[in-house]
Amino acid sequence: MPSTQKGDIAKLRELVEKDYDIQILIDNLPVGSKSYKEFQCGDLPKLPLPNLDRYTKPNGFSIGCKDGINSNMYLNNHWNFVLSYHETKNGKRYLVGAEVIPSSLDHSSHEVRCGPRTPLIYGSSQPLLNINDLELNKPITFSYSLTWKKSDIVWASRWDAYINSEQTLDSKTHLLSIVNLFVLVLVLSSLIASLLYYRIGKELKSTEITNWKSIRYDVFAPPRAPSVLAAFFGSGVQLLGMLIITLGLGIVVFTSPGNRGKYGTLMLLFYGLMGISSGYYSMRMYKLMGGVHW
């Protein structure tokens, strides 16, 4: 990393304070991270690693961490990659998992020995890189290590660990709350609509001149440009149908997260297909407003 300036150090503190993540892709797999209770903030991992099935953060890892005891901020400048592979019967190997254990390492210290010929000793006590102790106009050294791990997970199931991660389970809980809220809004809207329908219908049937009777002809009067309103109405139906179908497929996990950009393609596809309903409802609205050129 180039020499640090005063603004860079303040920016690093802000990123760590707001828990920003770093996202990396390896073979189209996002590099996720897990929370190991055995490791403290910024520590190097100890081998063998505990067996955890679920990712805590399936889409990345923290740029740094905070020590809750001394209120120190450490930069995760050493990345311990753990890549899982599956070997088939014919000897082919496929990547089925990508994990990183971020650590903090002060490379400027004489106690640190990290290089191609002097690899790190896992589980050893190393000085951490405290952001508060960074010096101006001095570069920050980043390093990484790599561990290969044989796995029984087959290629077709390599996304299961990401889909069933702790973060995904939390999002499913939030989705349930959203669905409950949507049902509640739908019930209340139906109740209000039925009350209004009953009230307005009662006023229309009565012989007395009420407020609604005096303005109903102004409310339902056709506009000066019915074709423009019909076009906007049809476009709204088209966009609404596209969003409902796309979000519905996303909720039921119809598309695989391995196919990036699939949702954009689906939106364009359904936008074109919903053009049929757009034309139909545009003509219906145009005819309802008294249009004759259809």
Side-chain angles (χ1 to χ4, degrees):
M1 182 176 178
S3 300
T4 56
Q5 304 297 326
K6 186 175 182 180
D8 298 333
I9 299 176
K11 187 64 176 179
L12 284 175
R13 290 198 192 98
E14 180 184 1
L15 295 177
V16 175
E17 183 70 31
K18 294 182 178 180
D19 196 19
Y20 270 70
D21 291 341
I22 300 175
Q23 294 183 344
I24 300 177
L25 294 177
I26 299 179
D27 192 24
N28 203 28
L29 275 179
V31 179
S33 58
K34 302 176 181 178
S35 294
Y36 294 97
K37 297 180 180 179
E38 294 81 3
F39 307 149
Q40 301 297 325
C41 172
D43 286 349
L44 289 172
K46 299 177 182 179
L47 298 180
L49 296 174
N51 188 17
L52 295 180
D53 297 331
R54 293 177 179 174
Y55 287 104
T56 306
K57 292 184 177 181
N59 295 324
F61 56 97
S62 300
I63 194 173
C65 59
K66 294 182 292 184
D67 186 0
I69 301 177
N70 301 319
S71 299
N72 293 323
M73 292 186 180
Y74 301 108
L75 179 65
N76 290 329
N77 62 329
H78 182 80
W79 304 338
N80 308 275
F81 291 99
V82 180
L83 302 182
S84 302
Y85 68 94
H86 176 73
E87 186 172 0
T88 60
K89 295 180 180 179
N90 55 7
K92 293 184 178 180
R93 298 176 181 179
Y94 297 96
L95 186 68
V96 294
E99 178 192 354
V100 63
I101 306 174
S103 304
S104 181
L105 200 61
D106 188 2
H107 290 276
S108 62
S109 175
H110 297 289
E111 302 177 15
V112 175
R113 295 182 179 181
C114 177
R117 298 182 179 179
T118 55
L120 285 172
I121 301 176
Y122 287 113
S124 60
S125 178
Q126 302 283 353
L128 307 181
L129 182 60
N130 195 335
I131 297 179
N132 298 324
D133 297 336
L134 290 177
E135 299 181 11
L136 295 177
N137 300 323
K138 285 191 176 182
I140 300 176
T141 303
F142 284 82
S143 56
Y144 75 94
S145 56
L146 176 61
T147 302
W148 289 98
K149 181 180 178 182
K150 192 173 183 179
S151 175
D152 296 330
I153 300 174
V154 296
W155 169 267
S157 304
R158 68 176 189 163
W159 281 98
D160 292 350
Y162 296 90
I163 296 175
N164 299 322
S165 64
E166 296 180 8
Q167 197 175 74
T168 308
L169 294 177
D170 292 339
S171 63
K172 289 181 179 179
T173 305
H174 296 163
L175 178 62
L176 181 61
S177 302
I178 294 174
V179 172
N180 292 335
L181 181 61
F182 177 77
V183 172
L184 179 61
V185 171
L186 186 62
V187 171
L188 293 178
S189 301
S190 302
L191 179 61
I192 295 174
S194 61
L195 292 176
L196 288 176
Y197 179 78
Y198 173 77
R199 180 64 179 174
I200 293 174
K202 186 176 180 180
E203 290 184 359
L204 291 177
K205 292 178 181 179
S206 65
T207 57
E208 299 179 1
I209 302 299
T210 59
N211 294 331
W212 174 251
K213 280 188 174 182
S214 61
I215 65 172
R216 62 175 177 170
Y217 294 107
D218 295 331
V219 172
F220 294 108
R224 296 180 180 179
S227 59
V228 177
L229 179 59
F232 278 113
F233 180 77
S235 299
V237 171
Q238 185 177 6
L239 290 173
L240 182 62
M242 174 199 69
L243 290 176
I244 291 176
I245 296 176
T246 306
L247 291 177
L249 293 177
I251 290 175
V252 300
V253 197
F254 180 79
T255 57
S256 172
N259 299 325
R260 301 184 179 276
K262 194 71 172 290
Y263 285 103
T265 305
L266 287 177
M267 291 179 69
L268 292 177
L269 175 62
F270 292 130
Y271 181 78
L273 293 177
M274 291 303 295
I276 301 174
S277 61
S278 173
Y280 173 76
Y281 284 103
S282 295
M283 290 297 99
R284 283 289 302 269
M285 178 62 69
Y286 181 71
K287 183 180 178 181
L288 181 64
M289 293 184 294
V292 294
H293 303 289
W294 57 281

